[in-house]
Amino acid sequence: MMCIVPLAGPDLLHPTLGLKPLMAVDGRPLVETALTGRPWWRQGRLRPDGLVFVLRRDLPAGETLEAVLRQRFPGAAFVWLGELSGGALLSALAGTALLRRPEEPLCIDLVDLLYESVDPIEERFAADPALAAVVPWFESNEDCYSYLRMDAAGRVTEAVEKRVISSCASAGSYLFRDAATWLEAAAHSIRHRDRLGCRGALFVCPAMTGLIEAGRSVVGMPVDHVRPITKLFHPDG
């Protein structure tokens, strides 16, 4: 499995809490606690050489963040943006350039929430050739999250940003069959940014719309013990 981690957003640095990815959680930086707690990492399906971090050059603390990431995840790749992008989707797209194994399942992980799951994601893709993407979710009604609408079988029928359309909030990790499937979803969002964008930016969750409208299968995966630690970094605190 491969994983792109976009760490280039406007909420990356807090005036008093410092760098969000390096915030101490359970004795380790948040980014490490999140990534190593994912089921695909614990199952040995994702390794450090499968990670691509997307960082910003214009962030004063960017070099500090890079140094920590290189120490914690030796062999990971890095992409640097010169300035703030037009949203997490576009930042993640930059990371696609350094995917070493684009044919493998791909996770876009915002490392915004901690959660637990035992779901064998790669086995899902292997068992169902029609499956294009999987979205971990948890129950919420707060409009700071992205949301999914699903049918009785757990298939995602709608995905939106910062709008409560159900009780199923995205957990901030998005799994695609491969890099090509991710690019199809991203291209649809760019083509339809007028209706899929939010507050002038493009995010990853609504990109599922492109797959759904193309007749591809997208399913939700419930997760447990969610810890929304990074809500401290949101503008509304």
Side-chain angles (χ1 to χ4, degrees), residues 1 8 11 17 30 43-44 53 68 78 96 100-101 106-107 111 131 143 154 156 167 174 181 195 204 206 209 231-232:
M1 177 179 279
D11 62 345
L17 297 174
L30 169 62
Q43 294 160 5
F53 293 101
V68 173
F78 291 80
T96 311
R100 295 178 173 121
R101 298 179 296 278
L106 170 64
C107 176
V111 294
L131 181 60
D143 62 8
V156 179
S167 61
Y174 304 93
T181 304
R195 66 182 173 93
V204 182
T209 304
K231 281 179 64 178
L232 294 170

Side-chain angles (χ1 to χ4, degrees), residues 76-186:
F78 291 80
V79 172
W80 288 89
L81 302 180
E83 58 188 63
L84 190 66
S85 76
L89 180 137
L90 297 176
S91 296
L93 273 178
T96 311
L98 294 189
L99 290 175
R100 295 178 173 121
R101 298 179 296 278
E103 72 284 354
E104 294 184 3
L106 170 64
C107 176
I108 309 296
D109 202 328
L110 307 183
V111 294
D112 272 329
L113 294 94
L114 303 180
Y115 59 81
E116 295 179 12
S117 171
V118 295
D119 201 298
I121 296 297
E122 283 193 307
E123 292 179 15
R124 279 200 183 208
F125 286 119
D128 184 1
L131 181 60
V134 177
V135 184
W137 64 271
F138 66 103
E139 290 192 5
S140 180
N141 60 5
E142 298 183 71
D143 62 8
C144 59
Y145 301 118
S146 306
Y147 280 85
L148 311 171
R149 198 190 306 276
M150 293 181 287
D151 63 18
R155 290 185 295 266
V156 179
T157 59
E158 188 178 1
V160 302
E161 188 73 23
K162 308 294 187 291
R163 186 157 55 90
V164 183
I165 60 171
S166 71
S167 61
C168 304
S170 165
S173 302
Y174 304 93
L175 298 116
F176 298 87
R177 172 169 289 278
D178 49 31
T181 304
W182 150 240
L183 290 175
E184 291 172 23

Side-chain angles (χ1 to χ4, degrees), residues 4-70:
I4 298 173
V5 186
L7 300 176
D11 62 345
L12 199 66
L13 185 62
H14 192 279
T16 57
L17 297 174
L19 279 169
K20 177 170 68 172
L22 300 188
M23 181 180 180
V25 179
D26 299 338
R28 297 182 295 170
L30 169 62
V31 61
E32 182 181 9
T33 301
L35 288 174
T36 60
R38 303 306 194 220
W40 37 90
W41 183 280
R42 289 187 281 102
Q43 294 160 5
R45 301 179 185 273
L46 176 63
R47 305 182 301 274
D49 69 347
L51 292 167
V52 180
F53 293 101
V54 182
L55 310 179
R56 274 171 47 201
R57 282 284 182 205
D58 65 329
L59 195 67
E63 292 184 1
T64 298
L65 177 56
E66 179 190 15
V68 173
L69 293 173
R70 287 192 183 278

Side-chain angles (χ1 to χ4, degrees), residues 178-195:
D178 49 31
T181 304
W182 150 240
L183 290 175
E184 291 172 23
H188 184 273
S189 280
I190 295 172
R191 189 174 297 116
H192 299 282
R193 64 183 307 148
D194 55 333
R195 66 182 173 93

